[in-house]
Amino acid sequence: NLTGAELQRANLTGAKLQNAVLEGALYDNATGWPEDFDPKPNGAINWEELSEQERVEWEEKYHPEWR
């Protein structure tokens, strides 16, 4: 379960993510995914595509202890 995980710059190219729960997991353009794996339909969010307000909302939902 990777719900709310921070995966920016992570190298997941060898990971088996077929049944992974990625709801709200953050990634960026440097995150390496397994070949033919699309993180968005699995619930992951590209941090670089979020507005400042969306980033605040993400933190409040997945990591309220940071606020």
Side-chain angles (χ1 to χ4, degrees):
N1 183 346
L2 296 171
T3 299
E6 291 186 75
L7 303 174
Q8 298 98 315
R9 300 179 162 274
N11 179 356
L12 302 171
T13 55
K16 297 187 187 313
L17 299 173
Q18 296 89 328
N19 297 313
V21 177
L22 298 174
E23 179 190 343
L26 294 179
Y27 68 96
D28 61 13
N29 295 335
T31 304
W33 297 100
E35 192 173 322
D36 297 326
F37 182 80
D38 185 356
K40 284 187 178 181
N42 290 283
I45 302 166
N46 188 332
W47 180 257
E48 296 176 24
E49 295 176 358
L50 296 180
S51 68
E52 186 61 35
Q53 180 59 38
E54 289 170 322
R55 290 176 180 194
V56 168
E57 291 169 1
W58 179 89
E59 288 179 359
E60 289 173 347
K61 181 174 182 177
Y62 294 103
H63 293 285
E65 69 275 10
W66 294 354
R67 309 259 345 132

